[in-house]
Amino acid sequence: MEQSKRNAGLEMRKGEGEEDGRRGWSDVRLAMEELSLFKTEEKKVSTLAFLGASNLLLHVLDKIGPTLLVLRQDIRQNIERVEEMYMLNPNLYSSLVEMVKKEVDQRSSRNKDSCSRAILWLARSITFSVTLFQELDKNPEWSLAQVVEETYTDTLKPWHGWVASTAYKVAIKLVPEREIFIGLLMGQEQDYDALKEDIKIYVSAIHPLLDETYALLRTHKLDTLKSP
């Protein structure tokens, strides 16, 4: 199925009035708005909420620049893998639970190209972005390179092999200045304090989704898989 058709099926339709109201918002605030559309009981393992958080991560990495190309490519491929299964049966696969259950029953959940593995790596990557936001706020004197390195060490490095770790070590040295990155993150009509408030609300909103996703993966002993 063509990528444009998948995206059309996943996009949330917005009226022209809503578009005007959102002009100038940061990507973080837009992601918060998308998460707010899901009821609490749905948000925990909602496939669309999970994909929305994953797509925010791509926007964040785009602003860091081409230096984290390897990570962006992996995330995009994993998003497409989850989207493809979702579009097979949007009603059945509206929850990540059914996606993982199907592959566990078929004994394919640990395969290199499985949707379950894609969900695992997207969850880890979302954790990377959440931790990155928190470290930016907690360590205002750090450069972006320091923040990215610390975040990578805490969230993704334990699960990467030697090749991936080496690639990231090179990429981290090429990230832009902290001020440039923060300026790109902010909406056109935002200041830094407003961005920090958006980030705090987003982190609070995304944690239940991450917690339920990791719990689902732990149930099937999929949470400790490492890169091949």
Side-chain angles (χ1 to χ4, degrees), residues 50-51 54 57 74-76 78-80 82 117-127 210 214:
F50 187 74
L51 287 171
S54 301
L57 176 56
D74 286 345
I75 292 169
R76 186 170 288 108
N78 288 329
I79 288 174
E80 290 175 357
V82 177
R117 191 179 281 270
I119 291 169
L120 171 63
W121 280 103
L122 286 174
R124 288 172 175 169
S125 298
I126 295 169
T127 300
L210 282 173
Y214 284 126

Side-chain angles (χ1 to χ4, degrees), residues 4 10 14 21 25 36-37 63 78 87 104 110 117 120 137 148 156 161 181 190 201 206-208 214 217 220 222 224:
S4 59
L10 293 170
K14 305 179 179 71
W25 283 15
S36 72
L37 298 176
K63 294 181 188 327
N78 288 329
M87 291 305 293
V104 169
R110 293 174 177 268
R117 191 179 281 270
L120 171 63
D137 185 44
V148 172
L156 293 176
F181 175 64
Q190 273 194 320
I201 296 172
I206 200 66
H207 267 303
Y214 284 126
L217 294 165
H220 299 289
L222 298 171
T224 58

Side-chain angles (χ1 to χ4, degrees), residues 159-227:
W159 311 110
H160 278 163
W162 181 83
V163 174
S165 294
T166 301
Y168 282 103
K169 188 177 295 185
V170 174
I172 286 168
K173 296 178 181 179
L174 304 174
V175 298
E177 294 295 326
R178 178 192 180 102
E179 292 76 14
I180 294 174
F181 175 64
I182 289 174
L184 291 171
L185 272 184
M186 288 190 296
Q188 295 176 1
E189 300 173 8
Q190 273 194 320
D191 58 24
Y192 184 48
D193 287 338
L195 175 65
K196 288 201 297 183
E197 185 62 26
D198 283 352
I199 288 174
K200 286 180 181 178
I201 296 172
Y202 174 74
V203 169
S204 177
I206 200 66
H207 267 303
L209 179 66
L210 282 173
D211 290 345
E212 290 297 322
T213 302
Y214 284 126
L216 167 65
L217 294 165
R218 280 196 301 272
T219 297
H220 299 289
K221 296 181 171 55
L222 298 171
D223 58 309
T224 58
L225 296 180
K226 294 188 176 184
S227 57

Side-chain angles (χ1 to χ4, degrees), residues 4-222:
S4 59
K5 291 181 180 179
R6 288 200 301 267
N7 289 341
L10 293 170
E11 276 188 345
M12 298 175 183
R13 301 292 184 250
K14 305 179 179 71
E16 291 183 2
E18 289 177 322
E19 292 282 0
D20 292 339
R22 296 175 184 181
R23 188 171 293 122
W25 283 15
S26 68
D27 288 331
V28 178
R29 183 172 293 185
L30 288 170
M32 286 163 41
E33 179 74 4
E34 288 190 5
L35 280 173
S36 72
L37 298 176
F38 296 92
K39 296 178 182 178
T40 303
E41 63 270 20
E42 295 174 339
K43 191 190 306 180
K44 290 182 177 179
V45 288
S46 165
T47 300
L48 290 182
F50 187 74
L51 287 171
S54 301
N55 279 303
L56 169 65
L57 176 56
L58 278 183
H59 288 305
V60 171
L61 293 178
D62 284 341
K63 294 181 188 327
I64 291 178
T67 54
L68 296 180
L69 179 62
V70 175
L71 179 58
R72 290 212 311 278
Q73 288 176 334
D74 286 345
I75 292 169
R76 186 170 288 108
Q77 289 173 357
N78 288 329
I79 288 174
E80 290 175 357
R81 200 170 296 155
V82 177
E83 285 179 349
E84 285 170 359
M85 180 174 282
Y86 171 79
M87 291 305 293
L88 291 174
N89 191 333
N91 288 328
L92 177 61
Y93 298 130
S94 61
S95 167
L96 299 179
V97 173
E98 295 303 325
M99 292 186 177
V100 174
K101 183 177 181 299
K102 176 185 177 181
E103 292 188 336
V104 169
D105 290 344
Q106 294 177 339
R107 299 186 177 182
S108 61
S109 59
R110 293 174 177 268
N111 291 355
K112 182 180 178 180
D113 60 349
S114 71
C115 189
S116 300
R117 191 179 281 270
I119 291 169
L120 171 63
W121 280 103
L122 286 174
R124 288 172 175 169
S125 298
I126 295 169
T127 300
F128 171 88
S129 70
V130 169
T131 306
L132 177 70
F133 289 149
Q134 292 173 319
E135 291 294 333
L136 277 171
D137 185 44
K138 187 170 69 175
N139 301 289
E141 74 285 357
W142 284 12
S143 69
L144 181 59
Q146 287 176 294
V147 172
V148 172
E149 182 173 9
E150 181 73 11
T151 302
Y152 172 72
T153 299
D154 288 346
T155 59
L156 293 176
K157 187 176 180 179
W159 311 110
H160 278 163
W162 181 83
V163 174
S165 294
T166 301
Y168 282 103
K169 188 177 295 185
V170 174
I172 286 168
K173 296 178 181 179
L174 304 174
V175 298
E177 294 295 326
R178 178 192 180 102
E179 292 76 14
I180 294 174
F181 175 64
I182 289 174
L184 291 171
L185 272 184
M186 288 190 296
Q188 295 176 1
E189 300 173 8
Q190 273 194 320
D191 58 24
Y192 184 48
D193 287 338
L195 175 65
K196 288 201 297 183
E197 185 62 26
D198 283 352
I199 288 174
K200 286 180 181 178
I201 296 172
Y202 174 74
V203 169
S204 177
I206 200 66
H207 267 303
L209 179 66
L210 282 173
D211 290 345
E212 290 297 322
T213 302
Y214 284 126
L216 167 65
L217 294 165
R218 280 196 301 272
T219 297
H220 299 289
K221 296 181 171 55
L222 298 171

